[in-house]
Amino acid sequence: MKQIKLNYLFIALAFTVVLTSCHKDKIAQNSGSPVPQRAGLYVLNQGGFGDDNSTLTYYNYATKQLIPDFYALANPGKQLGDTGNDIEIYGSRMYIVVNNSNVVDVANAKTGVLIGQVAINQCRSIVFNGSNAFVTSYDGDVQVIDTASLTITKFIYVGRDPEQMVIANNKLYVANSGGLSSVPDSTVSVISLSSFAVENSIPVISNPVSVTTDASGNVYVLSLGNYGTIAGGLTIIDSNADTVKSKPAVSIGFNVPMTNLGNQIYFPTADNKIAVYSSISNKIIQTNFITDGTVITSPYAIQADPTSGEIFVADAKDYSSDGTLDAFNSSGKLEYKLTVGINPGKIAFVNK
Amino acid sequence: MYLRRKSGCFVLFLIAVVVPCKSFAQTDTTKKLNEVKVLSAVTPNLQSIVPTQSISSNDFIRYNAFNVADAIQDFPGVIVKDYGGIGGLKTVSVRGLGADHTAILYDGIAIDDAETGQIDLSKFNLNSIQKIVLYNAQPPDICMPATSFASASVIAITTVKPALTALKPYSITAGIKAGSFGLINPYLQWQQRINNNWSFIVNGYTENANGQYKFKGAANYPDSTMVRKNSDVSAQQIDGALYWAKNDSDKFSLHINYYNSDRGLPGAVIYNATPSNERLWNKDIFVQASYKKIWISGLQLLVNTKVSQSYLRYLDPQFDNIQGELDLRYTQQELYQSVALAYHILKNWEISYAFDATLNNLSVLFNYPDPIFPDPTRLTLLNVFASNLVLGKLRIEGNILNSNITETVKTGNAAQPRNIYSPTLMATLTPFANSDFQLRAFYKNIFRDPTFDDLYYQEVGIPDLKPEYTDQYDLGATYSKTLTGFFYYVTVTADAYYNDVTNKIVYLPSNLFPQSTVNFGKVDIEGLDVSLKTQAKLSENTKWLLSANYSYQKAQNVTDPTSSIYLNQIPYTPKNTVALNTGIDYKDFGLYYNQIISSSRYYTNDNLPYDYIPGYSVSDASANYHFIADNKPVIASFEVNNLFNQSYYVVHDYPMPGRSFRISLQITI
């Protein structure tokens, strides 16, 4: 039971654990068109911060086989490194952003075999547009990778400690968390995808981390606040005018993953229930999406599969031992439960 | 700049001490120095009421010990959590309990860290230490400060006391240790007898090392040899003690200790991580005084006082916040007063009462506008009644401790006042006519208070935490026989124990901010400690010594029966540990060998292949030679650590050094 003990040599480490490891995950915008047939899903487990034990769990839908570390299996002698923070599949490749190992791994999406690596200091999240990948770095920028040559072609300076990004209206919205300072950032940078320049900076609730969008082009931003005097919350941005549309009153906990399915936004509330916000009625339409009594202890990742309407919730449990992945059907009933790794922070679907 | 100036002062101080000593020594050379060579054996006293392990300064060389953590690593039931290298943090877990359950006493007075609850044992250099004793439960003496009753186990460090006669009123020992990691550690000890009643001792050392070492086994580079960097250490310590003794029953001492260090923190070995530039500085000072008097009536008085301040600065010069660095500065202050009284009501019945008051304060300078701690202050009042009673072959000892703890903070909520009663009961029985064989048992209920980190650390601590309780049960047998033939003695001890931890304080980033430390865990620990010690006379001039210890620990998480980690072994707890120490003394020459074998461990609660840390077997060897040069006793020694160059880890991602060497030379004038 000796878990992450605070001792004075590692006090700052613990501090960093709170600020970074405890959840800054990003929502997949599967920017590609929906694919009818899935081969399975990946769960990227962060591992313990500083433990160098991030793993990639693969679940095969057909065989129902669960491989605890698909990356290590596909790449003998290799491990992901420390705190895998984001995974996205784009085209035939998967991109794994390994935060504390300062690297973006590019691998074959089906086989997991490593194709190349791009070094980015303190990289956090990735999104794609055309032949470019955009990666946030705690250095305070978005770095643009040319997906053909796997080289960095541009640095776009944004706010402090940028986290997740989402694309809406041909613009890239970047959540500037500033979460490593006691006074967090509270802006979302808007980058034009034609000029690659920052066009706008939108004030949001302090310490924005998660972003997603809906079918109407709204951008949803979940913020953590300053863990004290300033509460976290939800900011909704109108991406046409690039203005704040509303800040609906929601109770945000310590975990703020978010996903969208059509015009519905799913995110956990402070009591570990999964709330559903509708962009049609502009309000919370369900305080708990889960209808069969399934209890989530620490909702660390949440992901909708638009092809099936399923909602997947990863539970980090005690944050120091293996978590689980719960698959719910569209009516909020548990379909199955998988044991995954420590701090499962991101889910990605892979096609046949 | 500040540090450099301090070091400069220290060097000046050394010169100031050395120069007069030298001149003193020269005027004194006419006196004949007689070194008394002892080649007998004293049977170690292991038949105490609680399991007791001790090591004294003559034996440090047998264990290649450089610091306190090295010296006690063979003790059964002890697991040293070693982050590796000369500047690496070393803490101990005794019988499966966390480091904060073990009190560290320095000449009878606790060294406390209210913020972390942990004392880094690597910072105690052995030059000034006479003896280190580990007591499970508590020391058997009942006339002692209440703090000594208030932990699950006690490590008592005793410093060297002046032992001089009017014939030779001074003694100066100078030495140097040097070796791998770029280590240079010169030290000096000056003992001086002032008159029949007064004497003093001054110890000083400087320690410098680049700390670099090669290692293997990093993830993604399992076969590559890499170098541990940013592991330099620069430390200085000065310890002065003044002693007054009218006789054995009327004694006073005053101790001043200053420690200064500057070290790099190499950090975890992480794939492709940015190399660490983190640094840690310590400046600790304490003054403590002790007075003891025993009256003919059987009344005993022990008064202890301490004032201390410890300063710690942590710097990460490449942190992604506004300032671009993380710079944390903690200052802790402590005021401590203790009074203990004991009285022999009958020859076989003694009672005692002790009262300790401790005031702890922590303040933090932080490079953020917000305070990271709300300046907590803690007042701890301990009252203990203890008694021992001898009834024929049975000896019973027990105490009840009352702990009253109140805290205040400048902002936010302080922890609720705590008022806790903790009992201890111990007994020994000598069933047979002679006392060679004894049985012993103890029960102790105690708690460790949440630390300031647990309670108040920004975004992590919660003031509502309850203390972490332990119940310890021990049943043991000891056999000790002093012999006259081939063997000098044989001592065997075996203790089975059961420890039950409730309200275990666990760091757990919870969803409902700000609850991050919680009273989450329950742990059951079943264990066995066995030790054997013997010495034999191989020839007139040859003495052979063997010490063998075995520990078994089944330490299981019993928090939640529905959890996947239920009944899993707790992290960093090997089930089996063997420590073997053997050596031969031939005339003035000694050759020693130490081996520690640890079974595999897990570094998380999962107990799965990914969190598996392989077991290890590490051997150390040393040789030393005593000789007389220019009428002065000299000791030269050579030590090899990790003789077979094993690549191993005690803590995940913190590699241990391979083979390393150390030479020492010491002269006493």
Side-chain angles (χ1 to χ4, degrees):
Chain A
M1 281 310 303
K2 193 184 291 176
Q3 307 199 2
I4 304 169
K5 291 290 294 177
L6 291 176
N7 60 57
Y8 60 76
L9 280 184
F10 303 99
I11 200 120
L13 169 75
F15 182 72
T16 322
V17 167
V18 174
L19 289 180
T20 63
S21 165
C22 305
H23 210 205
K24 302 256 171 167
D25 84 64
K26 129 172 202 355
I27 298 313
Q29 293 307 306
N30 287 317
S31 33
S33 54
V35 203
Q37 296 226 296
R38 302 287 196 209
L41 62 80
Y42 291 110
V43 177
L44 179 62
N45 309 294
Q46 294 175 353
F49 187 86
D51 281 345
D52 205 22
N53 61 354
S54 197
T55 54
L56 183 67
T57 303
Y58 178 63
Y59 177 64
N60 185 317
Y61 282 0
T63 64
K64 298 193 166 49
Q65 192 189 10
L66 192 66
I67 299 168
D69 194 357
F70 190 71
Y71 183 90
L73 193 72
N75 302 288
K78 284 203 171 294
Q79 291 169 31
L80 275 172
D82 194 40
T83 314
N85 199 63
D86 196 10
I87 178 172
E88 281 290 316
I89 290 170
Y90 192 63
S92 63
R93 293 168 167 186
M94 67 173 147
Y95 293 73
I96 306 172
V97 181
V98 191
N99 172 37
N100 213 28
S101 289
N102 307 308
V103 73
V104 177
D105 281 343
V106 184
N108 181 300
K110 286 178 191 165
T111 64
V113 174
L114 195 61
I115 295 164
Q117 291 185 308
V118 185
I120 296 182
N121 191 48
Q122 290 293 312
C123 44
R124 296 294 294 170
S125 301
I126 190 164
V127 295
F128 301 89
N129 184 252
S131 62
N132 293 309
F134 298 85
V135 180
T136 45
S137 158
Y138 272 169
D139 288 350
D141 56 26
V142 173
Q143 303 192 13
V144 185
I145 302 172
D146 175 67
T147 53
S149 63
L150 296 184
T151 52
I152 293 166
T153 55
K154 197 166 172 59
F155 298 84
I156 306 166
Y157 294 94
V158 290
R160 286 184 281 126
D161 311 322
E163 290 285 354
Q164 297 180 13
M165 296 162 286
V166 71
I167 293 170
N169 263 336
N170 200 37
K171 287 177 283 189
L172 182 65
Y173 291 79
V174 185
N176 300 310
S177 76
L180 294 184
S181 297
S182 62
V183 179
D185 204 324
S186 53
T187 58
V188 166
S189 296
V190 185
I191 296 170
S192 158
L193 286 177
S194 34
S195 68
F196 285 7
V198 177
E199 286 188 332
N200 218 330
S201 176
I202 302 168
V204 295
I205 295 169
S206 177
N207 202 358
V209 173
S210 311
V211 288
T212 191
T213 184
D214 64 17
S216 323
N218 295 307
V219 172
Y220 296 78
V221 183
L222 275 180
S223 303
L224 281 169
N226 73 348
Y227 314 99
T229 48
I230 305 168
L234 176 65
T235 310
I236 303 175
I237 296 168
D238 174 352
S239 68
N240 293 310
D242 278 344
T243 54
V244 173
K245 195 172 155 185
S246 66
K247 290 180 183 174
V250 291
S251 167
I252 296 299
F254 204 61
N255 287 310
V256 288
M258 185 165 48
T259 192
N260 75 319
L261 190 59
N263 284 308
Q264 296 188 355
I265 309 297
Y266 298 76
F267 58 90
T269 45
D271 53 0
N272 296 326
K273 298 198 165 56
I274 308 298
V276 185
Y277 182 88
S278 164
S279 62
I280 307 291
S281 52
N282 291 320
K283 63 175 187 187
I284 303 273
I285 53 166
Q286 267 183 290
T287 52
N288 195 7
F289 159 77
I290 299 167
T291 52
D292 63 358
T294 303
V295 173
I296 306 288
T297 314
S298 314
Y300 210 56
I302 181 165
Q303 187 72 58
D305 185 345
T307 60
S308 62
E310 291 167 294
I311 303 287
F312 295 83
V313 182
D315 189 342
K317 304 281 183 190
D318 65 358
Y319 302 92
S320 58
S321 52
D322 282 351
T324 57
L325 181 74
D326 291 3
F328 295 94
N329 66 17
S330 55
S331 57
K333 293 200 164 35
L334 185 69
E335 293 177 330
Y336 56 93
K337 192 186 265 285
L338 309 172
T339 296
V340 292
I342 296 179
N343 293 331
K346 192 67 205 295
I347 301 150
F349 306 102
V350 61
N351 290 330
K352 280 179 182 161
Chain B
M1 279 309 287
Y2 179 58
L3 276 163
R4 288 199 179 282
R5 210 164 64 235
K6 277 287 176 194
S7 310
C9 284
F10 184 77
V11 171
L12 280 178
F13 184 84
L14 272 185
I15 293 165
V17 173
V18 172
V19 171
C21 298
K22 272 199 169 164
S23 50
F24 201 170
Q26 277 158 5
T27 61
D28 221 26
T29 43
T30 50
K31 280 181 183 147
K32 183 79 183 155
L33 295 170
N34 291 318
E35 199 212 5
V36 184
K37 188 86 185 77
V38 183
L39 191 76
S40 67
V42 180
T43 309
N45 179 23
L46 297 171
Q47 293 195 296
S48 45
I49 198 162
V50 292
T52 304
Q53 302 289 330
S54 75
I55 181 168
S56 55
S57 58
N58 290 336
D59 293 327
F60 292 153
I61 183 70
R62 294 178 184 277
Y63 295 88
N64 283 26
F66 183 66
N67 53 50
V68 169
D70 298 340
I72 64 171
Q73 61 177 345
D74 273 34
F75 290 178
V78 167
I79 294 164
V80 175
K81 199 170 175 189
D82 189 340
Y83 286 80
I86 204 155
L89 175 73
K90 292 166 180 60
T91 61
V92 288
S93 156
V94 178
R95 290 188 166 184
L97 305 173
D100 13 31
H101 282 285
T102 300
I104 314 287
L105 304 183
Y106 191 81
D107 283 338
I109 298 179
I111 295 178
D112 202 8
D113 187 320
E115 188 207 336
T116 67
Q118 300 193 354
I119 306 293
D120 181 5
L121 292 176
S122 74
K123 80 176 194 186
F124 297 103
N125 194 294
L126 294 172
N127 303 325
S128 59
I129 294 174
Q130 177 63 43
K131 197 177 186 187
I132 306 163
V133 188
L134 168 70
Y135 301 97
N136 290 112
Q138 62 200 40
D141 191 357
I142 64 166
C143 186
M144 59 181 184
T147 313
S148 305
F149 293 87
S151 291
S153 58
V154 170
I155 292 171
I157 297 168
T158 311
T159 60
V160 175
K161 307 272 181 300
L164 302 161
T165 60
L167 198 66
K168 191 198 176 233
Y170 71 94
S171 166
I172 291 157
T173 300
I176 186 160
K177 295 178 185 178
S180 304
F181 318 109
L183 172 72
I184 297 174
N185 170 214
Y187 59 93
L188 189 75
Q189 182 183 90
W190 174 23
Q191 298 184 26
Q192 182 69 49
R193 182 181 188 273
I194 300 168
N195 59 33
N196 277 342
N197 302 118
W198 292 91
S199 60
F200 69 81
I201 183 167
V202 178
N203 280 285
Y205 76 80
T206 67
E207 178 187 321
N208 283 281
N210 63 41
Q212 296 187 357
Y213 58 89
K214 291 176 181 161
F215 69 95
K216 273 187 173 179
N220 286 341
Y221 306 103
D223 300 320
S224 309
T225 300
M226 302 171 106
V227 179
R228 206 80 171 111
K229 289 195 172 138
N230 193 43
S231 47
D232 57 294
V233 185
S234 170
Q236 303 84 38
Q237 188 162 6
I238 184 93
D239 185 278
L242 180 67
Y243 292 93
W244 174 86
K246 192 173 174 189
N247 51 51
D248 265 358
S249 305
D250 199 357
K251 295 191 283 194
F252 167 80
S253 67
L254 176 74
H255 226 103
I256 300 173
N257 187 295
Y258 178 71
Y259 173 78
N260 180 65
S261 78
D262 170 5
R263 51 180 146 174
L265 300 176
V269 174
I270 291 169
Y271 168 60
N272 201 39
T274 313
S276 168
N277 286 319
E278 294 163 35
R279 296 209 74 78
L280 192 72
W281 292 270
N282 291 87
K283 282 183 215 303
D284 300 339
I285 186 162
F286 68 79
V287 180
Q288 66 184 43
S290 182
Y291 175 71
K292 185 169 189 172
K293 186 167 168 81
I294 306 169
W295 283 270
I296 296 166
S297 62
L299 183 68
Q300 230 185 106
L301 170 72
L302 175 64
V303 181
N304 284 300
T305 304
K306 183 180 180 180
V307 181
S308 74
Q309 175 168 300
S310 60
Y311 168 83
L312 181 149
R313 181 181 173 208
Y314 166 87
L315 177 71
D316 180 352
Q318 47 193 19
F319 195 73
D320 285 320
N321 57 0
I322 297 175
Q323 294 81 1
E325 62 175 24
L326 191 62
D327 188 347
L328 307 167
R329 301 171 198 201
Y330 307 87
T331 303
Q332 291 192 67
Q333 283 154 343
E334 180 176 295
L335 286 173
Y336 170 77
Q337 181 61 54
S338 165
V339 182
L341 279 167
Y343 183 64
H344 267 283
I345 295 173
L346 297 168
K347 202 178 171 190
N348 61 341
W349 183 26
E350 189 183 12
I351 57 164
S352 77
Y353 165 73
F355 169 73
D356 284 17
T358 312
L359 190 69
N360 291 99
N361 169 272
L362 168 68
S363 65
V364 179
L365 263 177
F366 193 44
N367 71 349
Y368 290 173
D370 289 355
I372 195 164
F373 275 99
D375 277 2
T377 300
R378 170 183 293 170
L379 177 65
T380 308
L381 303 177
L382 303 177
N383 281 281
V384 62
F385 283 100
S387 178
N388 62 39
L389 180 66
V390 181
L391 292 169
K393 298 197 166 291
L394 180 69
R395 177 188 168 90
I396 305 171
E397 197 173 310
N399 66 269
I400 181 97
L401 168 73
N402 173 257
S403 309
N404 189 297
I405 302 158
T406 47
E407 291 177 23
T408 54
V409 287
K410 286 201 175 142
T411 55
N413 294 326
Q416 290 296 306
R418 302 180 274 290
N419 189 44
I420 297 164
Y421 289 89
S422 313
T424 303
L425 192 63
M426 328 186 265
T428 53
L429 177 68
T430 312
F432 307 117
N434 67 42
S435 61
D436 297 344
F437 180 75
Q438 291 182 13
L439 296 169
R440 65 185 171 200
F442 77 79
Y443 163 73
K444 178 163 187 165
N445 167 273
I446 195 68
F447 66 93
R448 78 132 173 120
D449 209 37
T451 64
F452 284 159
D453 279 346
D454 297 333
L455 293 167
Y456 304 117
Y457 196 90
Q458 192 184 43
E459 297 159 19
V460 179
I462 49 163
D464 297 339
L465 281 180
K466 297 186 205 74
E468 181 177 315
Y469 287 89
T470 58
D471 284 297
Q472 299 184 84
Y473 305 83
D474 179 283
L475 186 63
T478 59
Y479 177 80
S480 182
K481 185 134 183 96
T482 304
L483 302 159
T484 48
F486 179 69
F487 288 103
Y488 291 105
Y489 62 81
V490 176
T491 302
V492 181
T493 70
D495 286 86
Y497 61 87
Y498 171 70
N499 295 342
D500 180 34
V501 184
T502 48
N503 283 343
K504 186 165 174 76
I505 296 169
V506 173
Y507 172 71
L508 185 70
S510 159
N511 310 14
L512 291 175
F513 174 77
Q515 298 183 359
S516 295
T517 43
V518 289
N519 289 114
F520 179 71
K522 277 174 72 71
V523 180
D524 279 356
I525 304 151
E526 291 166 20
L528 179 70
D529 289 343
V530 181
S531 80
L532 163 77
K533 282 191 197 312
T534 186
Q535 267 192 47
K537 188 177 175 180
L538 298 183
S539 76
E540 200 51 47
N541 291 318
T542 317
K543 192 172 72 173
W544 173 70
L545 185 142
L546 173 74
S547 164
N549 297 322
Y550 168 74
S551 290
Y552 170 77
Q553 280 191 26
K554 189 166 93 177
Q556 294 181 320
N557 182 326
V558 292
T559 307
D560 175 9
T562 65
S563 151
S564 64
I565 58 172
Y566 187 66
L567 297 185
N568 280 3
Q569 185 84 353
I570 61 170
Y572 292 118
T573 314
K575 279 202 171 145
N576 298 286
T577 315
V578 175
L580 272 175
N581 188 275
T582 188
I584 286 173
D585 288 310
Y586 171 72
K587 291 186 177 168
D588 297 322
F589 186 75
L591 191 63
Y592 313 108
Y593 179 81
N594 190 62
Q595 179 146 31
I596 291 187
I597 304 166
S598 165
S599 64
S600 60
R601 292 135 295 135
Y602 295 100
Y603 72 83
T604 79
N605 290 308
D606 281 324
N607 292 196
L608 290 170
Y610 84 84
D611 70 333
Y612 177 86
I613 306 178
Y616 58 85
S617 171
V618 175
S619 310
D620 299 332
S622 58
N624 79 339
Y625 181 51
H626 291 253
F627 59 98
I628 306 291
D630 194 19
N631 271 343
K632 294 167 188 71
V634 178
I635 305 171
S637 61
F638 179 68
E639 298 160 77
V640 185
N641 293 296
N642 196 354
L643 187 62
F644 301 112
N645 203 22
Q646 293 291 303
S647 172
Y648 72 109
Y649 288 69
V650 175
V651 178
H652 175 63
D653 285 345
Y654 285 83
M656 298 295 290
R659 187 186 298 122
S660 67
F661 305 93
R662 192 160 55 233
I663 53 167
S664 319
L665 196 66
Q666 177 183 303
I667 184 164
T668 304
I669 52 176

